[in-house]
Amino acid sequence: MRRRFSLLFVVALLAGIGVPGPVRAADDAAWMFDPQVMVSIDLTIPGSSMEQISCDMGAPRPYVPATFTMTYRPRRGSTKTFGPWEITLRVKGQYGSFRCLTSGEKAGLKLKFPSGSRPDGLKKMTLNNMVQDGSMVREVLSYEVFRSLDVAAPRTGYAQVTINGTYRGIFLNLETMDDIALPRWFFSTQHLYEGSYGSWWGDVGDPFSGHYDVDEGDADDRSDLQNLLDTSRNLDPGWYARMQPIADLEQMTKMWAAEWFLGHWDGYSQFITNNYYLHSDEVGRFSMLPWGTDQSFQWAERYQNAPDHYLYNGCVGDPICGGSYIDALQLIATRWSGYRLDRRADSVFRMVSAESGGVADVKGFVAARANEHRDFIATLPLAPLSLSLSASRSRRGEIRVTWRSPAWRRPPLAVPITEFAVEYRLGSGPWTRTSVAPSMVSTSTLTLTGLPAGSYTVRVRSLSDSLQSPSVSRSVTVR
């Protein structure tokens, strides 16, 4: 049955047929991943375990025995109690967020639950200390934006944590991206790789270097990651065509665009190549997931040329993928005010106000970001106007594409248009691109021929040498 499913998936992918999303797995723990939920967690860590926990950030971090109890008392309804259970835990955190648990500091924690002692099915729990986020809302807001773009990202709640009878503060209860969470987003998982700290910890181009941790899958067979890295580093013309079968570039461009919009300077597309996951499915096709957004809503670069983020560099240098990145930025811009992140920040703040430093800086960033995007768009050629598509009834396999130059409405243009790019695809398959010189009249027309029957998306963008406008797009069915 597994082989039959794999074959059907590959055939659908190659044919450009939209593959439906995964059937959602059981999600009994969904209630706790809500920013309006504050659970109470009581941990007892015996002295024998404390002796194994080091205050040296670079020391080994073994999972050690502890006792776990979690309680949730909703305003309405009955109290939920889990435990006391025997579990294991370890400290988490790196540069900036690492704290010494044994000296009483607010250390982040990873918890593991044995079979039969799992809170509503969870195998793992991640408790972030939020010491780098004085507002205590940045991760909540940023992951909500990623998820709104269909970028797989963790859900969040809050926890008041007590250790050995001493209250340690409010922690973020961050959903762990493991074999419990991933099936809600993906049909299958071959690997989940966690990438950290660029080349500081190892060669990003070496799948076995210290840059990568294998969180799910076979740690000894990393041939899927090797293929992704090798293919992405080949910057010869045709990068998109080579990469599209092994990487969901539409998804990745939305993630990178969100990193800029959210000011996530510590992410994959920024200067360190940090805080990200690479997920591969059973046919070796990759998606990317965000992580470590506790310092978002600060700053980020729209085009960051660090040498280590091979996928990002290859994409923005490729005409088709680079255009998709601009479209992803524009997509978020159209939604930015609708997110109402200023109001959302106030709402979430009320849950943590006793320990938060306030959200004024987050709200200030949100208010300024749309104007910064508009300033960027003004440096690009204007997008085409009045795109229309018609499928020929008399000639099968043809689409007539018509649009108007923006120069028709607003001459002269600040950024001259040297040509137009017309891109089309069948279903969710790969884009094919062709260029059209500007017409001497206001309207340009191109007829696409030899097309198989199916539903097509066509997008057109203006070009000014290497600069591209956001695209305008329409869909049509060829019979």
Side-chain angles (χ1 to χ4, degrees):
M1 188 67 170
R2 180 181 174 89
R3 290 185 61 189
R4 181 174 180 271
F5 171 82
S6 300
L7 178 60
L8 289 173
F9 184 91
V10 174
V11 169
L13 183 64
L14 294 177
I17 299 171
V19 180
V23 177
R24 295 304 189 196
D27 197 14
D28 295 337
W31 64 269
M32 76 175 75
F33 296 120
D34 179 341
Q36 299 305 313
V37 168
M38 180 80 75
V39 300
S40 297
I41 294 177
D42 192 327
L43 297 169
T44 300
I45 307 175
S48 58
S49 293
M50 283 290 196
E51 290 173 359
Q52 301 178 61
I53 300 174
S54 175
C55 288
D56 178 357
M57 188 185 77
R61 302 185 189 181
Y63 277 88
V64 299
T67 304
F68 167 92
T69 303
M70 182 171 75
T71 306
Y72 175 53
R73 296 180 176 87
R75 293 180 180 177
R76 297 179 182 176
S78 58
T79 298
K80 292 177 179 279
T81 301
F82 302 88
W85 292 331
E86 298 306 311
I87 67 163
T88 58
L89 60 76
R90 70 168 177 84
V91 296
K92 70 178 296 288
Q94 297 295 342
Y95 307 100
S97 65
F98 180 81
R99 294 294 184 272
C100 179
L101 177 68
T102 57
S103 65
E105 295 180 357
K106 187 183 181 184
L109 298 168
K110 287 270 194 181
L111 314 182
K112 276 187 180 181
F113 302 97
S115 178
S117 300
R118 292 175 176 170
D120 279 337
L122 294 182
K123 292 182 179 179
K124 301 173 185 176
M125 184 175 283
T126 300
L127 299 174
N128 277 5
N129 57 13
M130 298 187 290
V131 296
Q132 292 181 287
D133 175 14
S135 74
M136 296 183 154
V137 306
R138 285 180 165 86
E139 290 173 274
V140 172
L141 302 186
S142 58
Y143 289 131
E144 287 179 353
V145 171
F146 282 116
R147 294 197 304 272
S148 78
L149 298 166
D150 292 325
V151 174
R155 298 171 296 181
T156 57
Y158 287 108
Q160 293 178 311
V161 178
T162 298
I163 299 177
N164 292 347
T166 300
Y167 178 65
R168 295 294 180 96
I170 295 174
F171 288 66
L172 187 75
N173 181 11
L174 182 65
E175 183 177 24
T176 304
M177 302 309 283
D178 59 6
D179 60 357
I180 299 296
L182 292 174
R184 294 191 306 101
W185 291 94
F186 303 104
F187 272 120
S188 62
T189 295
Q190 182 179 164
H191 279 107
L192 184 70
Y193 300 98
E194 183 176 356
S196 302
Y197 291 104
S199 58
W200 296 4
W201 287 5
D203 182 359
V204 181
D206 178 1
F208 287 93
S209 81
H211 177 78
Y212 298 102
D213 282 331
V214 178
D215 287 6
E216 298 289 337
D218 185 348
D220 295 325
D221 181 4
R222 306 187 190 185
S223 55
D224 54 349
L225 181 56
Q226 184 72 71
N227 184 40
L228 180 77
L229 295 171
D230 289 347
T231 305
S232 67
R233 285 183 290 179
N234 179 0
L235 300 181
D236 292 341
W239 187 91
Y240 170 83
R242 293 188 298 274
M243 285 293 297
Q244 194 274 338
I246 61 172
D248 186 346
L249 296 171
E250 299 274 330
Q251 183 267 353
M252 291 183 182
T253 53
K254 288 190 290 186
M255 177 179 143
W256 303 331
E259 287 186 332
W260 179 80
F261 251 98
L262 293 167
H264 181 28
W265 63 265
D266 205 14
Y268 175 82
S269 63
Q270 300 302 304
F271 71 102
I272 303 180
T273 313
N274 192 24
N275 284 319
Y276 70 100
Y277 289 104
L278 283 168
H279 174 276
S280 66
D281 61 22
E282 64 180 358
V283 297
R285 195 163 193 251
F286 279 85
S287 302
M288 190 174 286
L289 289 64
W291 194 245
T293 62
D294 54 333
Q295 297 183 87
S296 55
F297 298 97
Q298 295 189 28
W299 64 273
E301 295 185 58
R302 196 179 290 103
Y303 290 100
Q304 217 294 329
N305 61 356
D308 292 332
H309 41 224
Y310 305 116
L311 284 84
Y312 173 82
N313 290 343
C315 175
V316 297
D318 178 89
I320 295 177
C321 195
S324 293
Y325 176 61
I326 291 172
D327 287 352
L329 287 166
Q330 190 71 349
L331 171 66
I332 300 172
T334 64
R335 298 182 180 183
W336 193 246
S337 63
Y339 287 138
R340 302 194 175 193
L341 292 171
D342 53 347
R343 297 186 186 181
R344 186 69 179 136
D346 285 334
S347 174
V348 177
F349 167 73
R350 285 192 284 273
M351 285 297 295
V352 295
S353 59
E355 298 178 26
S356 169
V359 295
D361 54 346
V362 172
K363 293 168 66 176
F365 178 93
V366 170
R369 207 54 162 172
N371 289 334
E372 292 171 7
H373 174 74
R374 279 193 288 271
D375 290 344
F376 164 69
I377 291 296
T379 68
L380 305 177
L382 292 175
L385 305 170
S386 306
L387 174 64
S388 64
L389 308 177
S390 59
S392 174
R393 293 178 178 269
S394 58
R395 296 192 208 54
R396 292 185 177 274
E398 288 191 2
I399 299 175
R400 181 181 173 87
V401 186
T402 304
W403 67 95
R404 283 184 170 179
S405 169
W408 171 77
R409 181 175 293 178
R410 294 176 58 182
L413 298 178
V415 182
I417 295 173
T418 54
E419 59 183 338
F420 296 98
V422 178
E423 299 167 354
Y424 60 94
R425 69 177 179 183
L426 172 61
S428 58
W431 292 101
T432 298
R433 178 176 172 126
T434 187
S435 296
V436 178
S439 172
M440 297 298 292
V441 294
S442 64
T443 301
S444 296
T445 300
L446 175 68
T447 300
L448 305 173
T449 61
L451 304 175
S455 177
Y456 284 82
T457 302
V458 179
R459 63 188 187 187
V460 182
R461 64 180 83 248
S462 305
L463 307 180
S464 181
D465 297 324
S466 62
L467 297 177
Q468 304 192 64
S469 77
S471 71
V472 292
S473 65
R474 296 286 186 274
S475 297
V476 69
T477 300
V478 173
R479 305 188 187 283

